[in-house]
Amino acid sequence: MENTELLRYRRALKRKNYSAHTLKSYMNILDHFVRWAPVPFSEVTCKEVGLYVDHLLRKRRTPKTITCHLQTIRLFFEYLIQEEGIPMANPVTRISIRLPKPLPRHLKDDQVTRLLAMITDVRDRAIFMLMLRCGLRVQEVADLTVDAVDCQRKQIFVSKGKGGKDRIVYVSEDARSALLAYLSKRSAKGKTLFLVQKGTMRGQSLSVRGIQKRMEYYARKSRLNVSCHRLRHTMATQLLNADADLATIQDLLGHGQITTTQRYCWVANLK
């Protein structure tokens, strides 16, 4: 009975153009659940699903894997209820596993020095100094306009950052010097601050992916495990190590919740 339902479900997913990899993954999970389940599908309740979670935990499955199992099983029960007409409540709707959030990773001072030594292009140096000293996100850097930069007052207006929020960030002296060096050689008249420098796209806005690819290039060159976002983490950690208060760092980073900023405390305390 249940094997027949699984076969019909597999055919239904195939008609929806699910990939072969996804089908195999779903069927493996459901087969595991069927073999474990002490009752027929129609009698499964939240209690059985909870016991199944305990079973997976005893097998030392990670929260991410358990969540994947629950999502797959929930979709299967949705199919049974909506397509097969089984009169029951979906037993997985209120079951969830809380995934642990990894601590932000930052660069040590000697790693920062090593990375910056590799970045000689004036545009790229200005880009990554803004991330490192101002804590800008890669999307925020890509969206910057020339008018948003006030080198005289050493500040940048970030328009519609994450969550659609505006904020002002302050520019350190070394970041200001990098910006001025770039602006002095920037010949194009585009509104966007950072532009493509070579090829058929020359003079057009530099994309997020374009910035990320430059970082990947410098990561390989310096042999460091570094990303654009890690520069932002580094800035926050450096401020905490310099005894800046959390509220100030929250404003500079544009965090909606101070609990997000508090995660950096663990990193700072490990130094």
Side-chain angles (χ1 to χ4, degrees), residues 16-252:
K16 293 180 180 179
N17 292 321
Y18 277 62
S19 70
H21 175 78
T22 301
L23 286 173
K24 183 178 179 181
S25 175
Y26 277 23
M27 291 303 112
N28 284 341
I29 288 172
L30 291 172
D31 182 65
H32 188 277
F33 180 69
V34 168
R35 291 174 184 274
W36 172 88
V39 295
F41 286 143
S42 59
E43 297 177 21
V44 173
T45 66
C46 291
K47 178 183 176 183
E48 280 73 38
V49 175
L51 291 172
Y52 181 64
V53 170
D54 292 339
H55 162 72
L56 294 176
L57 287 171
R58 284 194 298 272
K59 286 185 166 290
R60 298 184 180 276
R61 299 293 186 264
T62 65
K64 186 175 181 179
T65 298
I66 296 173
T67 298
C68 184
H69 275 245
L70 293 176
Q71 290 170 340
T72 301
I73 295 167
R74 180 173 60 207
L75 288 174
F76 176 60
F77 276 105
E78 283 182 5
Y79 164 81
L80 291 180
I81 295 165
Q82 296 171 10
E83 303 296 329
E84 297 278 338
I86 295 179
M88 63 180 298
N90 194 320
V92 194
T93 51
R94 296 189 179 183
I95 301 291
S96 63
I97 294 293
R98 191 171 184 178
L99 295 175
K101 291 185 178 180
L103 289 174
R105 296 183 178 182
H106 67 287
L107 294 177
K108 296 179 181 178
D109 292 343
D110 63 313
Q111 292 175 319
V112 170
T113 302
R114 196 163 119 204
L115 175 66
L116 293 179
M118 297 293 173
I119 307 175
T120 55
D121 181 271
V122 290
R123 182 204 63 185
D124 294 349
R125 193 173 184 87
I127 287 172
F128 298 127
M129 287 299 289
L130 290 183
M131 295 179 184
L132 181 64
R133 301 303 188 210
C134 306
L136 295 187
R137 301 177 177 93
V138 62
Q139 184 70 63
E140 293 169 344
V141 171
D143 290 343
L144 278 180
T145 62
V146 175
D147 293 340
V149 179
D150 188 338
C151 287
Q152 187 174 354
R153 295 185 180 181
K154 297 183 182 180
Q155 62 185 33
I156 294 174
F157 178 72
V158 180
S159 175
K160 296 179 181 178
K162 190 172 182 180
K165 297 178 181 177
D166 298 340
R167 72 182 191 280
I168 292 176
V169 297
Y170 299 95
V171 183
S172 64
E173 188 55 46
D174 55 354
R176 177 177 177 271
S177 296
L179 267 174
L180 288 172
Y182 166 63
L183 289 170
S184 68
K185 294 190 175 183
R186 182 181 178 277
S187 57
K189 296 181 180 180
K191 181 180 177 182
T192 306
L193 178 59
F194 294 112
L195 306 172
V196 177
Q197 297 181 142
K198 298 177 182 178
T200 56
M201 302 290 286
R202 189 173 185 269
Q204 296 190 30
S205 300
L206 186 62
S207 67
V208 167
R209 185 63 193 133
I211 295 172
Q212 290 170 336
K213 286 176 75 173
R214 294 305 293 161
M215 174 53 73
E216 290 164 8
Y217 166 75
Y218 292 116
R220 290 193 301 270
K221 197 174 179 182
S222 61
R223 296 183 179 180
L224 288 170
N225 183 12
V226 60
S227 64
C228 294
H229 214 64
R230 186 164 291 188
L231 296 183
R232 176 174 156 88
H233 293 329
T234 300
M235 178 261 198
T237 305
Q238 288 176 341
L239 286 176
L240 273 172
N241 286 328
D243 296 325
D245 64 272
L246 277 177
T248 298
I249 298 173
Q250 179 189 8
D251 290 340
L252 292 174

